[in-house]
Amino acid sequence: MSAAAASMCQVRSTGHADAMRTLDRLEESTALDSIVEPAQKVARTVEPGRFRDALHGVWLGHPLHPALVQLPIGAWASAGVLDLFGDDQRAVRRLVAFGLAGAVPAALAGSADWSEQHEQQMRVGVVHAFLNGTATALYAASLLTRTRRTGRALRLAGLLAAGTGGLLGGRISFRQAGGANHAESVPHLVDPGWQELGALDELPQDEPGRRMLGEIPVVVVRRGTEVHVLADRCSHLSGPLSDGEVKDGRITCPWHGSTFDLAGGSVACGPATAPQPVFDTEIRSGTVWVRLPGAG
């Protein structure tokens, strides 16, 4: 690498580090907790059930919020293009109104996900929500003004606020792994084929127990001679299922209440949206053997 290229990389690295430190301070700002706590109570007024699960995206298999966000952002960005290169104010206003309508379900889904996250994610999330709320207010104000220049200025400010909010949303999703499947790595880390897990008699009845399968923790539930084995770390935010409750053929995560079917690992109740990896089991001479389905 040339000296000039090395110098350029150093400049970029310094700028990147400064930006990351700013966002890191946002994550650790306990001052935001005074907003997080009451806002969380409001968000949780939507009680667990079908509607809340629908907002989480349980039916979709991944969070719904990122998909819904495309509606307002797409409409508002399109309005911005028309503001810059067109003269059809009626079309602009229609796009703004469409974006405002789309912002409502996006906000509902986002608040449901946000209310069941870790504190660092929630701190960034309140700023993310504030910026998106500001964008919504600016776009709504642009519909009320009759001055073209003022309307354009309000929409430009709204697009800037929404874009910055989107930047923070990306950090929550990808840097902080909010909404990611935290059990996705399990099939890639477990050795293929059957593996010995332990003696059947050592497993408690109808209660979750924790065992290690190589480097991977698994939760084991024995019901008579039937044994269910799932990845222990909850797909939602890595909560320990082995510390959870077993009832009616399901296991509930102690952290945020995600519930999974023991037999198939499917999500019975959110906020988790991804199923829990489940292992095939066999009892051989009083010993439990397990393997991932399709792993030989």
Side-chain angles (χ1 to χ4, degrees), residues 85-237:
F85 303 108
D87 196 35
D88 190 344
Q89 289 302 298
R90 178 176 293 182
V92 169
R93 294 173 67 83
R94 286 176 177 173
L95 284 167
V96 169
F98 182 79
L100 290 171
V104 174
L108 284 173
S111 65
D113 291 342
W114 169 84
S115 67
E116 304 296 345
Q117 293 183 331
H118 293 317
E119 58 186 8
Q120 289 84 1
Q121 296 163 334
M122 296 180 75
R123 290 167 184 160
V124 178
V126 294
V127 182
H128 167 73
F130 171 77
L131 289 167
N132 289 337
T134 299
T136 301
L138 289 167
Y139 276 105
S142 76
L143 290 181
L144 299 177
T145 183
R146 295 301 176 183
T147 304
R148 180 174 297 185
R149 175 177 291 184
T150 302
R152 285 179 174 175
L154 288 169
R155 289 189 288 272
L156 178 61
L159 190 59
L160 179 61
T164 307
L167 175 68
L168 293 182
R171 183 179 179 88
I172 296 169
S173 297
F174 302 111
R175 178 65 179 267
Q176 297 180 306
N181 176 7
H182 287 252
E184 191 278 335
S185 62
V186 171
H188 308 289
L189 298 176
V190 174
D191 292 333
W194 290 98
Q195 300 176 64
E196 183 177 344
L197 189 63
L200 177 64
D201 292 341
E202 295 177 357
L203 301 176
Q205 285 276 10
D206 296 316
E207 292 183 5
R210 187 175 186 268
R211 297 291 186 274
M212 295 299 296
L213 195 63
E215 298 179 356
I216 301 300
V218 294
V219 57
V220 186
V221 179
R222 176 187 176 189
R223 310 181 75 186
T225 57
E226 185 180 30
V227 177
H228 299 285
V229 179
L230 297 81
D232 186 39
R233 293 301 180 184
C234 177
S235 65
H236 176 231
L237 283 176

Side-chain angles (χ1 to χ4, degrees), residues 24-123:
D24 289 343
R25 285 194 291 270
L26 187 62
E27 291 181 11
E28 301 303 326
S29 176
T30 56
L32 291 171
D33 292 344
S34 62
I35 303 173
V36 167
E37 294 176 6
Q40 185 183 38
K41 291 179 181 179
V42 173
R44 284 182 170 176
T45 57
V46 180
E47 296 182 356
R50 291 185 178 181
F51 181 62
R52 190 173 181 87
D53 280 353
L55 291 176
H56 285 308
V58 172
W59 59 276
L60 190 59
H62 61 75
L64 178 62
H65 176 65
L68 292 180
V69 165
Q70 307 310 308
L71 296 177
I73 293 298
W76 292 341
S78 299
V81 172
L82 289 181
D83 270 335
L84 290 174
F85 303 108
D87 196 35
D88 190 344
Q89 289 302 298
R90 178 176 293 182
V92 169
R93 294 173 67 83
R94 286 176 177 173
L95 284 167
V96 169
F98 182 79
L100 290 171
V104 174
L108 284 173
S111 65
D113 291 342
W114 169 84
S115 67
E116 304 296 345
Q117 293 183 331
H118 293 317
E119 58 186 8
Q120 289 84 1
Q121 296 163 334
M122 296 180 75
R123 290 167 184 160

